[in-house]
Amino acid sequence: MRPVLLAGLVTALSAGAWPAMGQTFPIDLILPPVRPASQGFGPSLPHLPTASFHRAIPVVAETQPSRPVIPRPANAEQVLAVTAPLPPSRPATAEPHQTPEPRPVAVASRPIVAAATPVALRQPLPNGEVVARANAYFTNLTTLVADFTQVGGDGRRLGGTLYLQRPGRVRFEYDPPATLEVIADGRSVAVRDRKLATQDLYSISQTPLKFLLREQVNLGQDIRITGIANDGDGVRISLEDSSTLGGTSRIVLVFDSQVETLNQWRIVDAQGFQTVVMLGRSERGRRIDQDLFKIQYDILVGGNK
């Protein structure tokens, strides 16, 4: 018997506390454990049978090949952790899936290259080329029929049809209620008012319309060029004609950017009165009735007969 336990027992009995100690001390502390008769105290104990246990503890023998030990979960949370698939590194709802954006360098380089080609083709023309093309435009122009809008210095707008046959012939036929007609037959220019039955005659050389009517147009020699402006959308050629009636007239011709089409002109006469003519829908090379260019010379100037 263990000395420590006997000493405690003697102390308890001497104090008269045996019933209380029986309730407090476990019985295996007083009585030795019952062992089988065939067994004794030896250096090692035999293996206990394992059939009655719920979990079998594998016995590793030297003669048997080793098997991998598979750890088993101890509770339901571990079972779920083992059998459930691994969760994603981030919650699916924490950060929505975003389609990767295309690389800006590759996308932006294409339109820049495509847009560079037409811009290079529309570079401003040199002044010498502008003048040469303007002279060629008038020289090669045979006939032109176009709608026009005329804006006077007082802001009044008149519409009509322009008939031009080079050289020398032009007719500005104004839409009603206007009653004006301007006709050039190659020798003179007549300004006729049908309502008042008046007609004024001028020499073609005295009118600023010579850039339309001369057979050979040579801007820069026949008419002095005072400036050329090119803003990318159009070309403006500023002229001065000192041979017009009453003094010097200032003229501005407005072409497209390649000086292939005349879009409008502006004339400021010697008295400072400005007239702007804008051309609309036009047709070149059209056959024109010659009666449109006839001037009635039997009508005296001012309507006097």
Side-chain angles (χ1 to χ4, degrees), residues 9-70:
L9 178 60
V10 172
T11 304
L13 290 176
S14 63
W18 169 254
M21 290 294 295
Q23 296 177 3
T24 305
F25 286 87
I27 194 63
D28 59 354
L29 295 179
I30 302 174
L31 299 178
V34 180
R35 300 177 184 276
S38 60
Q39 295 180 356
F41 293 98
S44 62
L45 295 177
H47 297 289
L48 297 178
T50 59
S52 60
F53 289 90
H54 294 286
R55 290 184 297 174
I57 301 175
V59 179
V60 180
E62 295 180 358
T63 58
Q64 296 180 355
S66 60
R67 296 181 181 181
V69 179
I70 302 176

Side-chain angles (χ1 to χ4, degrees), residues 170 172 182 184 189 204 206-214 223 241 244 251 265 267:
V170 69
F172 291 88
V182 178
V189 177
I204 289 180
Q206 293 178 315
T207 67
L209 295 177
K210 59 176 61 71
F211 67 90
L212 284 176
L213 303 178
R214 282 187 176 178
I223 303 177
D241 187 0
T244 57
I251 305 167
W265 63 80
I267 300 176

Side-chain angles (χ1 to χ4, degrees), residues 97-120:
H97 177 71
Q98 297 180 355
T99 304
E101 298 181 356
R103 291 181 297 177
V105 175
V107 175
S109 60
R110 294 183 179 179
I112 292 177
V113 173
T117 302
V119 171

Side-chain angles (χ1 to χ4, degrees), residues 102-147:
R103 291 181 297 177
V105 175
V107 175
S109 60
R110 294 183 179 179
I112 292 177
V113 173
T117 302
V119 171
L121 296 178
R122 292 195 297 266
Q123 290 297 324
L125 297 172
N127 290 347
E129 182 67 17
V130 169
V131 175
R133 292 192 180 195
N135 289 331
Y137 171 83
F138 290 116
T139 300
N140 297 329
L141 183 62
T142 56
T143 63
L144 176 68
V145 179
D147 299 333

Side-chain angles (χ1 to χ4, degrees), residues 73-97:
N75 50 44
E77 294 180 357
Q78 295 180 359
V79 172
L80 180 61
V82 172
T83 58
L86 293 177
S89 58
R90 294 183 180 180
T93 59
E95 187 172 321
H97 177 71

Side-chain angles (χ1 to χ4, degrees), residues 238-286:
S238 300
L239 310 169
E240 275 190 0
D241 187 0
S242 58
S243 62
T244 57
L245 183 65
T248 300
S249 297
R250 299 189 302 274
I251 305 167
V252 177
L253 306 179
V254 181
F255 290 87
D256 67 303
S257 60
Q258 297 301 306
V259 196
E260 296 175 347
T261 303
L262 179 65
N263 294 325
Q264 66 173 273
W265 63 80
R266 180 175 70 245
I267 300 176
V268 180
D269 62 16
Q271 288 74 36
F273 188 83
Q274 175 178 276
T275 302
V276 179
V277 176
M278 298 173 288
L279 301 181
R281 182 181 56 184
S282 62
E283 182 180 357
R284 300 176 61 172
R286 174 178 166 181

